[in-house]
Amino acid sequence: MKNIDEEKLHVHLCDYLQTQHGYIPLSAADMTDSAYHFVAQHLFSFLEATQSTSLATLRRDYYGTNTEKQILKEIQESVKYQPLWLTIRNGITIKGIKLYLYQPRPRSRHSTAQARDFAENRFAYKKEFYFSPDNKEAIDLVLYLNGLPIITVELKHAGATGEGNSYVDAIGQYVNRRQSLSRIFTLPFAHFAADTDTVKVATDLSRADNFQFFNKDLHNTPDNEGEYPIEHLYAQVFSRDYITDFIEYFLIYVTTKEDKSAFTIFPRYHQLRSTRNLATDLQAYVEDKESLGKKYLINHSPGSGKTLTISWMAERLDSLFDTVRNEKIIDIVFVLTDRKSLDTNVKDDLEKFTHLRDKVVFTDRAEDVRKAVEKRTNIVVTTIQKFNYIQEKLKQDERFKDLKIAFLIDEAHRSQNGKMGKNVRTTFSDLREDETDTLEDSIATFFKKINIDRQVYIAFTATPTEKTVNLFGQPFDTYSEEEAIEEGYILDVTESIISYNTLYNLTTYNGKFGEHLFPKMVIANLLRGIAFEDKEIIQYKSAIIINHFEKEIANMLDGKAKVMVVTSSRQAGYYYYQTIKGILENKQSPHKVLYAFTAFLEKETKKEVIEASVNGIEISDETPIEKYFEQNDYRFLVVANKFQQGFDEPLLCAMYLDKIVKGVNAVQTVSRLNRKAKDKNSTVLLDFTNNTKEIFKAFSKYRKGAKVRTEEPKPEELAALYTAIHSKGIFTKNLISEYIQKAKEGRDAEFQVMTVVFRRNFENLIHGKEQRKAFVNDLWRYVRKYNFLSQFVTVPKHLEEFALFADLIAGKLIKIGNDKTLKEALKDITVEKAAVKYLGVIENPHELHDPKGGITATGESSSPPKATIKETIADIKVKFNISDDDEIMIKAVFEERLKDDELIELITANKNDKEFLQKTVATELRNRIIESYKKRGQIKKTREELYKEPGGIFDLLVSSVIQSAIALA
């Protein structure tokens, strides 16, 4: 029995349908069809109003007074093999005569006949729909289109004092009542379970889990005074326009070969909202401005169903009409994504739009793209790398110059693995981690060169950077990670982090450090890279990883849980792979490890290391390495840069992070864990880099959606800095042009002579170490400011030329080391002492962070301080004070055992006797290794599980010594 407040909610909603949307209330007298629940009077009134000629033909030539009965029979037959909504969309054919069961909204205002027919659609509702023969059980609300049931609604209200029910109770009613076998639970395309502030929807009532959230946002704040928080449901979703949009565009019927598991996809609210609003906005803009030239940013979280949103938007843009000029707004829609998404996600989702089959081309071949453009193919799905090619074709071929193009871009800041966007490279750029160009760089270049009045850009991303927002504007639509977590589509992967700190002291083999100055942060990062590639440290961490996996992860998801090990470099990843594989083999574990990477030269052997040969598998486009990882026995995936974005494996339950990640990179990397799977309710992040604060900060920045603050670029600042630098009188315009020309022509001797002249002028005119450093910093600041501004405005020729000059000269005025000098100096640096210290489980404080980051509104950052390698190593020793108890001694014990002549001779003499080595020699060697630890005062370590357990550090050392002795024999 309804409480009073619930009845008020029902009445309010029905009144709204009637007064605002023109719905017709149905009475008990209208409900005469107890089998299919059709309202025949409405259906035939619609058909008479819109297709009277067809009805007359059927009556005259075929069925006479049985015509209505035959039409109902045809609809009843069709729903035996397809959903009712699909029958409504496609209509029915009787004796070769097509009957349309609804009229779509006209695309053009010139379609007066279609507009008249659209107005004839009968929208109706039945309040308290009794579906049981005894009239005891009822659904709160059923919506009808032309006499056919399309939507059911169960409404709940907690009541003034909480004595009522919630949407959860509504879902329970649906799942229980469907046992009645009434067709009212199968014919409608959507079933809504709602209370006053929460909405859920399902297309299949067989399980409660099928209901998905359908909220406007986290709080469902109504737009209008006097309305309920769920206003979006009855004010928008139940409107005539939305209902017809569902039937025309948004409902998708997914079938299988057997058709047994066919199902209907209904959009989530943000998918519906972003697609409809963008189409409406673009249509209004085109009709007003008579051109395109729009850029949109869609900020949708992981787990938002982004590929389906892209698919819906592609179809909507393809069908979008300029109602004033009665023409299509877009000729070709390009969907740009990475190769993996093209092969799987986007292709799979767009192929569900079976009615678009003849309109879509999927290809990553340039020739196929060209043919698709020539044929004016409606939707072309291709890779991000084809963007430049497409633009060149559009520009060069006269046949294409008038085409109106839309680009839907999946993660615009994802790397293109190519060089195209940056005009000026600063010194040490090749030493920066993950310094790769993105599609954004390419688009920024084109925005400066071409008129985009015939193009529209729609970029999708979960992590909009400053660059993204500068290119595409503030997000047009946002579905935040917070919403996705709250609604259960992804997991919160940063509730807490198991934190370790990797401590290291460094030294050099030859005792020489050099006295050149380098950017201090660059040196520190490279020195950290040396430590993180140290085999001893990797062996210790690998033992921690295996130990943690076996205790905490291995049995998750019925023994199917997988883990990812993220390493600092491909070399480090190679050592991790070898070590983890060795430990698993020593333990005779059934689990296997894969190493995903792009080919590189191994440091020790100087030979190329290739993914397929290292893993012992055959890799092809059809069977990439991620396909192998789907196999049950592969539980560990080691990566360096690969698969840190765009890789979805729902069984991934833990990540072992041995790489410092920040900002967008941190979010993209750690988010590999967030995909849902059956029984997957939590994940584990173990970080070896003491970087929890930065990871929490990165996630807090994007948790509620983009909060990037930008300012308009200010060209006058570049001109002012140019004037300030020239006021010192060191350079002249003629000499600058000559210097650049000599660099371009490769006239090195003359170039070096001019460099000396500039340096002497500099030293004569600028006095004092700090003043000279400040002037050089101004040159670097100019280069950075130019790089930022040139993305958005055309910079005057003389300012552009000076940016090239400043980039050439800035590093030469004060003699500092270059990247080649630095690499040479680091060649003999090695780890002297190391420790991996457990810091505990760090809980996420969930603090909101201002997204200013290290970049100001003008894209600059402060000039980096300089230091020598020796000074930086000394600073690291102060920072990492390693006690004897914490020190890892694997390397020292290993080297000591290799000098044990008696054992080494025994190993080499029996190197082919595997059984003898594994039993007799290994046992003795293990005992001597334990003695080595005891001799060093490390008795405590000999009792630790990490060391003594099978496959632990002692076993690792045994294997390493035996293998090394055999290799040296």
Side-chain angles (χ1 to χ4, degrees):
M1 185 174 177
K2 295 185 180 67
N3 62 49
I4 295 173
D5 292 307
E6 188 172 306
E7 180 62 21
K8 285 181 181 176
L9 173 62
H10 292 189
V11 170
H12 181 88
L13 197 150
C14 291
D15 285 348
Y16 198 102
L17 294 178
Q18 193 171 345
T19 59
Q20 301 300 316
H21 298 321
Y23 274 69
I24 304 165
L26 294 170
S27 67
D30 296 312
M31 314 310 296
T32 57
D33 181 359
S34 60
Y36 288 87
H37 314 291
F38 295 166
V39 180
Q41 179 188 349
H42 280 213
L43 174 63
F44 295 120
S45 295
F46 166 75
L47 292 175
E48 285 286 2
T50 59
Q51 298 153 82
S52 57
T53 302
S54 297
L55 277 180
T57 302
L58 287 172
R59 288 191 183 105
R60 183 188 66 240
D61 297 343
Y62 299 103
Y63 301 110
T65 56
N66 288 325
T67 299
E68 283 76 6
K69 185 177 180 181
Q70 188 62 36
I71 291 172
L72 289 172
K73 182 180 177 183
E74 189 67 33
I75 298 172
Q76 291 164 5
E77 284 296 314
S78 74
V79 298
K80 291 179 180 178
Y81 58 86
Q82 68 178 18
L84 176 59
W85 68 261
L86 201 53
T87 301
I88 296 174
R89 173 187 282 178
N90 297 331
I92 57 174
T93 303
I94 304 176
K95 297 297 182 180
I97 297 172
K98 186 68 176 280
L99 291 178
Y100 299 94
L101 303 182
Y102 88 113
Q103 281 296 331
R105 190 175 47 193
R107 295 182 184 178
S108 169
R109 66 180 64 178
H110 300 282
S111 305
T112 54
Q114 191 175 355
R116 183 181 63 246
D117 286 348
F118 176 71
E120 292 293 340
N121 284 317
R122 267 68 169 168
F123 290 85
Y125 69 87
K126 178 64 179 76
K127 183 173 177 287
E128 292 189 25
F129 179 96
Y130 288 94
F131 60 88
S132 62
D134 57 7
N135 284 347
K136 287 184 178 178
E137 290 192 272
I139 297 172
D140 291 333
L141 186 66
V142 177
L143 305 187
Y144 278 79
L145 172 60
N146 297 328
L148 304 173
I150 54 172
I151 288 172
T152 73
V153 188
E154 280 289 355
L155 293 167
K156 300 299 174 188
H157 196 298
T161 58
E163 75 279 5
N165 298 310
S166 74
Y167 73 89
V168 177
D169 301 289
I171 292 172
Q173 280 185 317
Y174 268 126
V175 175
N176 293 331
R177 287 172 169 181
R178 66 175 293 275
Q179 307 302 327
S180 70
L181 301 180
S182 172
R183 288 189 177 93
I184 200 61
F185 296 110
T186 57
L187 291 177
F189 59 72
H191 306 276
F192 288 91
D195 54 32
T196 53
D197 55 28
T198 302
V199 183
K200 275 197 161 188
V201 65
T203 60
D204 174 8
L205 297 177
S206 59
R207 294 170 59 244
D209 289 347
N210 290 341
F211 280 85
Q212 60 182 13
F213 280 102
F214 198 77
N215 290 325
K216 175 185 173 184
D217 51 38
L218 280 171
H219 308 294
N220 277 341
T221 305
D223 293 325
N224 298 292
E225 189 176 347
E227 298 300 333
Y228 286 94
I230 60 167
E231 178 191 16
H232 68 285
L233 179 64
Y234 55 85
Q236 295 175 358
V237 177
F238 293 166
S239 70
R240 290 168 171 258
D241 285 349
Y242 273 74
I243 296 292
T244 52
D245 271 357
F246 290 139
I247 294 170
E248 290 178 53
Y249 299 105
F250 288 103
L251 292 171
I252 304 171
Y253 187 51
V254 182
T255 60
T256 62
K257 291 179 181 178
E258 299 80 16
D259 276 348
K260 290 180 181 178
S261 57
F263 60 95
T264 293
I265 294 177
F266 189 82
R268 289 156 64 183
Y269 186 76
H270 66 273
Q271 295 172 322
L272 183 67
R273 176 187 64 211
S274 59
T275 302
R276 291 189 89 259
N277 288 353
L278 188 142
T280 300
D281 184 83
L282 181 60
Q283 183 181 36
Y285 182 85
V286 169
E287 291 177 353
D288 179 44
K289 305 292 185 183
E290 297 186 44
S291 71
L292 293 174
K294 287 275 284 184
K295 296 176 285 184
Y296 297 93
L297 180 62
I298 307 297
N299 177 200
H300 283 185
S301 162
S304 66
K306 180 177 57 179
T307 53
L308 267 176
T309 307
I310 290 173
S311 301
W312 273 310
M313 201 167 285
E315 179 186 11
R316 194 62 183 261
L317 291 175
D318 174 58
S319 64
L320 201 58
F321 250 69
D322 179 342
T323 63
V324 176
R325 281 160 283 278
N326 196 29
E327 62 183 21
K328 281 189 71 175
I329 288 176
I330 302 295
D331 295 313
I332 301 177
V333 178
F334 283 99
V335 178
L336 304 181
T337 187
D338 65 27
R339 186 164 280 104
K340 180 176 180 292
S341 292
L342 171 61
D343 291 341
T344 55
N345 303 353
V346 174
K347 187 174 182 182
D348 288 348
D349 278 343
L350 256 172
E351 284 182 342
K352 292 170 185 171
F353 292 65
T354 53
H355 56 289
L356 297 178
R357 192 166 288 151
D358 298 330
K359 291 186 171 186
V360 183
V361 166
F362 302 91
T363 182
D364 63 350
R365 296 178 64 246
E367 180 65 15
D368 292 338
V369 172
R370 181 185 63 78
K371 289 178 180 177
V373 175
E374 288 177 350
K375 292 178 181 178
R376 305 296 193 271
T377 304
N378 301 64
I379 301 170
V380 181
V381 186
T382 188
T383 56
I384 282 172
Q385 289 79 10
K386 294 297 179 291
F387 176 75
N388 284 0
Y389 175 81
I390 294 166
Q391 290 289 5
E392 289 301 320
K393 284 295 174 189
L394 296 175
K395 182 180 177 182
Q396 294 170 3
D397 198 317
E398 281 292 314
R399 297 173 298 168
F400 306 148
K401 68 177 184 178
D402 292 329
L403 284 178
K404 294 170 290 187
I405 306 294
F407 289 99
L408 274 64
I409 305 160
D410 182 11
E411 294 293 353
H413 56 246
R414 188 165 291 169
S415 169
Q416 297 190 103
N417 298 318
K419 305 289 181 188
M420 60 183 69
K422 293 181 173 59
N423 296 318
V424 182
R425 300 280 176 186
T426 57
T427 189
F428 301 114
S429 63
D430 59 327
L431 300 179
R432 290 176 183 162
E433 193 175 3
D434 300 332
E435 178 77 15
T436 54
D437 287 316
T438 67
L439 181 61
E440 284 174 338
D441 298 312
S442 189
I443 291 173
T445 303
F446 274 99
F447 281 174
K448 290 185 294 181
K449 291 181 179 178
I450 66 174
N451 184 334
I452 64 166
D453 284 349
R454 303 191 73 80
Q455 296 183 0
V456 59
Y457 289 79
I458 304 161
F460 290 79
T461 182
T463 50
T465 63
E466 282 85 353
K467 184 188 292 184
T468 312
V469 175
N470 283 326
L471 281 175
F472 299 104
Q474 290 292 339
F476 180 81
D477 190 89
T478 297
Y479 177 72
S480 67
E481 183 185 61
E482 185 178 26
E483 289 177 84
I485 292 170
E486 183 73 21
E487 295 184 346
Y489 293 107
I490 59 173
L491 296 169
D492 188 348
V493 294
T494 57
E495 275 298 307
S496 63
I497 298 175
I498 301 172
S499 182
Y500 285 79
N501 197 9
T502 301
L503 315 177
Y504 49 89
N505 294 168
L506 303 163
T507 188
T508 180
Y509 289 125
N510 57 23
K512 298 176 182 177
F513 292 99
E515 294 301 322
H516 284 99
L517 287 170
F518 303 96
K520 190 171 183 179
M521 187 58 69
V522 172
I523 304 176
N525 288 341
L526 290 171
L527 291 174
R528 183 179 67 237
I530 291 170
F532 277 47
E533 288 178 1
D534 182 76
K535 284 185 177 179
E536 177 187 35
I537 299 176
I538 287 172
Q539 286 174 331
Y540 190 85
K541 291 175 181 175
S542 296
I544 293 174
I545 290 169
I546 299 294
N547 181 272
H548 181 269
F549 171 80
E550 290 186 338
K551 286 185 174 180
E552 306 294 338
I553 308 299
N555 293 324
M556 291 176 67
L557 309 187
D558 292 328
K560 295 178 182 176
K562 298 176 184 288
V563 301
M564 179 182 279
V565 182
V566 181
T567 65
S568 60
S569 68
R570 286 174 291 182
Q571 185 69 52
Y574 185 53
Y575 291 154
Y576 260 111
Y577 169 76
Q578 292 176 315
T579 306
I580 291 173
K581 184 181 179 184
I583 294 174
L584 293 173
E585 288 173 353
N586 275 341
K587 296 170 81 69
Q588 297 182 324
S589 170
H591 310 316
K592 292 183 181 179
V593 57
L594 284 169
Y595 179 29
F597 64 98
T598 51
F600 69 101
L601 290 179
E602 207 276 327
K603 284 188 176 180
E604 294 177 359
T605 64
K606 305 300 180 187
K607 293 180 180 178
E608 187 177 31
V609 182
I610 299 170
E611 190 177 58
S613 57
V614 164
N615 290 287
I617 55 179
E618 292 185 12
I619 295 176
S620 65
D621 288 341
E622 291 72 31
T623 53
I625 193 167
E626 54 264 39
K627 284 289 183 185
Y628 287 92
F629 191 52
E630 291 174 5
Q631 297 174 16
N632 288 338
D633 49 350
Y634 286 111
R635 307 285 291 278
F636 294 82
L637 180 65
V638 177
V639 301
N641 293 329
K642 201 170 181 180
F643 295 155
Q644 284 178 240
Q645 55 185 17
F647 174 67
D648 295 336
E649 173 48 72
L651 299 181
L652 208 60
C653 290
M655 177 177 289
Y656 301 100
L657 194 57
D658 199 30
K659 175 180 183 177
I660 288 183
V661 289
K662 297 181 179 181
V664 170
N665 193 22
V667 175
Q668 290 180 333
T669 300
V670 178
S671 290
R672 297 312 100 217
L673 284 174
N674 68 18
R675 297 310 190 264
K676 294 274 285 186
K678 187 176 182 295
D679 299 325
K680 180 180 173 183
N681 301 311
S682 62
T683 61
V684 176
L685 178 60
L686 189 153
D687 173 44
F688 287 113
T689 68
N690 189 23
N691 193 38
T692 56
K693 186 176 180 181
E694 286 295 332
I695 294 171
F696 291 151
K697 180 180 176 182
F699 272 85
S700 75
K701 178 178 176 180
Y702 295 105
R703 181 57 53 93
K704 292 182 181 295
K707 300 187 291 291
V708 179
R709 299 187 312 183
T710 59
E711 292 181 7
E712 289 298 315
K714 299 174 182 176
E716 65 273 12
E717 292 181 356
L718 186 69
L721 186 55
Y722 172 85
T723 301
I725 292 170
H726 272 275
S727 68
K728 305 295 183 183
I730 299 169
F731 318 117
T732 66
K733 192 167 186 257
N734 289 339
L735 286 178
I736 288 170
S737 299
E738 186 180 348
Y739 193 65
I740 292 172
Q741 192 61 33
K742 291 185 188 304
K744 287 179 178 177
E745 294 173 359
R747 292 153 66 181
D748 185 58
E750 297 171 49
F751 179 80
Q752 297 303 330
V753 169
M754 288 193 72
T755 300
V756 172
V757 172
F758 284 133
R759 188 183 302 128
R760 285 175 182 166
N761 286 346
F762 169 70
E763 290 171 348
N764 288 335
L765 293 170
I766 308 290
H767 303 286
K769 184 178 179 181
E770 293 306 315
Q771 287 82 353
R772 288 175 179 174
K773 283 172 68 175
F775 182 82
V776 171
N777 284 341
D778 280 345
L779 290 173
W780 289 128
R781 192 155 62 93
Y782 185 92
V783 172
R784 288 191 296 273
K785 192 179 284 289
Y786 166 79
N787 283 340
F788 177 75
L789 287 171
S790 65
Q791 295 180 68
F792 314 104
V793 297
T794 301
V795 178
K797 191 70 180 174
H798 69 286
L799 297 182
E800 180 180 5
E801 184 180 65
F802 189 72
L804 296 173
F805 169 75
D807 190 47
L808 288 169
I809 198 65
K812 300 177 178 66
L813 294 178
I814 300 175
K815 275 203 165 184
I816 62 172
N818 57 28
D819 54 345
K820 186 176 179 182
T821 309
L822 178 55
K823 286 178 179 177
E824 187 65 27
L826 292 173
K827 190 173 63 176
D828 294 324
I829 302 295
T830 185
V831 175
E832 179 182 37
K833 189 190 260 190
V836 178
K837 197 166 184 178
Y838 176 65
L839 301 178
V841 177
I842 312 297
E843 300 292 332
N844 192 338
H846 292 292
E847 296 173 352
L848 293 181
H849 290 274
D850 195 331
K852 289 181 289 189
I855 300 177
T856 68
T858 56
E860 297 181 64
S861 57
S862 58
S863 180
K866 306 289 193 299
T868 65
I869 295 173
K870 188 175 183 180
E871 289 169 341
T872 308
I873 286 178
D875 288 345
I876 290 171
K877 281 194 176 183
V878 173
K879 179 182 177 182
F880 295 146
N881 183 17
I882 301 170
S883 69
D884 291 341
D885 286 341
D886 292 330
E887 183 183 357
I888 300 171
M889 296 182 174
I890 296 174
K891 187 186 297 182
V893 173
F894 169 76
E895 290 173 353
E896 180 182 333
R897 290 301 101 200
L898 271 184
K899 294 174 183 177
D900 191 331
D901 293 339
E902 179 187 354
L903 262 180
I904 299 304
E905 287 175 12
L906 187 63
I907 293 168
T908 53
N910 295 277
K911 63 182 180 181
N912 295 321
D913 190 343
K914 194 172 181 180
E915 185 177 356
F916 180 75
L917 289 175
Q918 287 180 343
K919 292 183 178 179
T920 306
V921 175
T923 301
E924 178 59 28
L925 179 53
R926 197 176 200 277
N927 291 334
R928 296 192 186 191
I929 286 169
I930 292 171
E931 285 303 313
S932 293
Y933 273 90
K934 289 180 177 178
K935 186 174 68 176
R936 287 173 167 76
Q938 299 293 324
I939 296 175
K940 184 180 176 182
K941 283 187 168 64
T942 66
R943 296 169 182 162
E944 288 180 13
E945 193 175 353
L946 190 67
Y947 283 80
K948 69 178 186 178
E949 68 175 2
I953 289 170
F954 291 152
D955 282 354
L956 261 179
L957 276 166
V958 168
S959 295
S960 297
V961 172
I962 291 175
Q963 289 169 12
S964 296
I966 293 172
L968 292 170

